[in-house]
């Protein structure tokens, strides 16, 4: 039984109002008073893509549509809360339910409406050439250096944890860009990408000792940038000498990288996960502070971040040393602190975060849970971590899979046996979209 003044609800997660949205409103108004929910930023980035406009700008766009009676902010992509709030007689939606996320959303809408006899109205989704072009232009805008660079700082304000995955090629970039999970409870995707020195070097068959030069590392960035839009955090190793670091900062900034992380080591750098098994030297505090200051002075935009990475726990120099460095590096201008550990348990990382947060509630903290991998993002966030980097998992996933395929072919003297473990020929030739 519908009410006398039926409410028709729809949710918009768009930066631009085009004829598709207007068509939908035209149909909606025939059923009753049209209420539009504008999906909030933190849910936009999980479900759709990074918003080009702020929530208030997006609200204003919708308010300007004639026939929209009311605009609210939808705080979750799932409809339960918003339906409880306004109990619409109808929810109206385009019939574009093809991908996994859309299927999950449709199921959720039908379930919540079913509880009180509300109805789903589906309208043919408008996807003509003009709208396709608008969509493409918005995506391309997201990839532009100015816009991409500023996204990390914006994300830090938007979400509890910036979920960051390692990428080392165009292909892994596409995985970071496009992988979405959708189940009954949530829809999610990665927020940012990490260009690891370990993986960039390993991919080239080289040790992680600052041997792969910057020109080559920039080439990796460029390959990734060509096919992605998400922000990039670059592993700058030690940053080299300050006189070189300033050039690296300028180049990264110009390319549209959002942040560089440099570690407080000096001399021949080895991978941190070796810990004290190999000889590694920590830089002294003042010398490293000078490098940070030089980098901050060199950058031209406000968006670019220089994050200082502390190796005291890796090198077993103790918690006090780690904290002393964190505050000194922050005071020298670092925009964030990365604390690293190779312990199996997260205890020392959490102790560091708690102690740092006692005195500083603002400066972003970065954690890389490679060794202490049982901890969840939520737990890290509760202790004040803002960026979680999964630093090497894609490369480590690929290597055993490739080795297994190579061994199988050698053993059987043919490729038949490995075939069912592989991406199909059809999938591989259609994996990459042509322009
Ligand atoms: C990297 O990914 O290259 C890092 C993190 O620097 S770690 O390998 O854990 O040192
Ligand atoms: Mg590294």
């Amino acid at each position: 039984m519908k009410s006398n003044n039926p409410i028709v609800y729809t949710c918009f997660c768009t930066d631009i109002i085009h004829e598709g949205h207007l068509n939908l409103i035209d149909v909606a108004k025939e059923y009753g008073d049209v209420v539009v929910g504008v999906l909030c930023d933190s849910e936009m980035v999980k479900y759709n893509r990074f918003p080009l406009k702020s929530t208030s700008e997006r609200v204003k766009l919708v308010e300007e549509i004639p026939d929209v009676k009311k605009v609210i902010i939808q705080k979750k992509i799932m409809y339960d809360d918003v339906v409880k709030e306004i109990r619409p007689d109808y929810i109206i939606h385009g019939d574009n339910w093809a991908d996994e996320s859309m299927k999950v959303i449709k199921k959720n809408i039908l379930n919540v409406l079913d509880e009180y006899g509300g109805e789903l109205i589906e309208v043919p989704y408008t996807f003509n050439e003009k709208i396709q072009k608008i969509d493409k232009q918005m995506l391309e805008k997201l990839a532009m250096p100015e816009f991409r660079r500023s996204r990390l700082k914006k994300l830090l304000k938007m979400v509890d944890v910036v979920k960051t995955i390692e990428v080392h090629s165009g292909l892994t970039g596409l995985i970071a860009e496009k992988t979405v999970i959708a189940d009954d409870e949530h829809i999610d995707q990665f927020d940012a990408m990490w260009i690891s020195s370990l993986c960039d070097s390993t991919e080239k068959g080289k040790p992680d000792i600052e041997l792969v030069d910057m020109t080559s590392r920039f080439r990796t960035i460029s390959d990734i940038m060509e096919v992605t839009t998400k922000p990039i955090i670059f592993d700058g190793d030690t940053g080299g000498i300050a006189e070189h670091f300033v050039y690296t900062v300028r180049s990264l900034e110009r390319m549209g990288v959002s942040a560089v992380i440099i570690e407080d080591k000096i001399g021949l750098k080895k991978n941190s996960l070796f810990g004290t098994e190999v000889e590694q030297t920590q830089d002294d505090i003042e010398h490293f502070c000078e490098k940070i200051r030089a980098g901050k002075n060199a950058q031209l935009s406000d968006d670019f971040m220089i994050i200082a990475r502390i190796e005291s726990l890796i090198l077993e120099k103790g918690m006090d040393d780690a904290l002393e460095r964190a505050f000194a590096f922050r005071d020298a201008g670092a925009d964030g602190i990365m604390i690293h550990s190779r312990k199996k348990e997260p205890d020392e990382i959490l102790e560091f975060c708690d102690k740092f947060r006692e005195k500083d509630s603002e400066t972003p903290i970065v954690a890389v849970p490679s060794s202490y991998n049982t901890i969840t993002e939520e737990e890290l966030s509760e202790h004040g971590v803002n960026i979680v980097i999964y630093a090497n998992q894609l490369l480590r996933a690929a290597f055993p899979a490739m080795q297994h395929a190579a061994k199988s072919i050698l053993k059987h003297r043919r490729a038949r046996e490995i075939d069912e473990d592989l991406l199909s020929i059809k999938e591989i030739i259609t994996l990459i979209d042509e322009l």
Side-chain angles (χ1 to χ4, degrees), residues 98-124:
D99 67 34
E100 273 319 299
S101 326
M102 297 310 294
K103 285 191 186 118
V104 166
I105 292 170
K106 179 171 183 180
K107 192 170 153 209
N108 176 257
I109 293 177
L110 289 175
N111 281 346
V112 288
L113 288 175
D114 203 36
E115 281 171 23
Y116 63 98
E119 213 179 299
L120 173 65
I121 307 162
E122 294 174 76
V123 290

Side-chain angles (χ1 to χ4, degrees), residues 194 196-198 208 235 263 271-273 309 340 368 370 391:
W194 163 245
S196 146
S197 69
L198 171 65
D208 181 18
D235 177 358
E263 58 196 272
N271 185 273
S272 299
L273 301 174
R309 162 171 168 176
H340 207 16
V368 182
S370 303

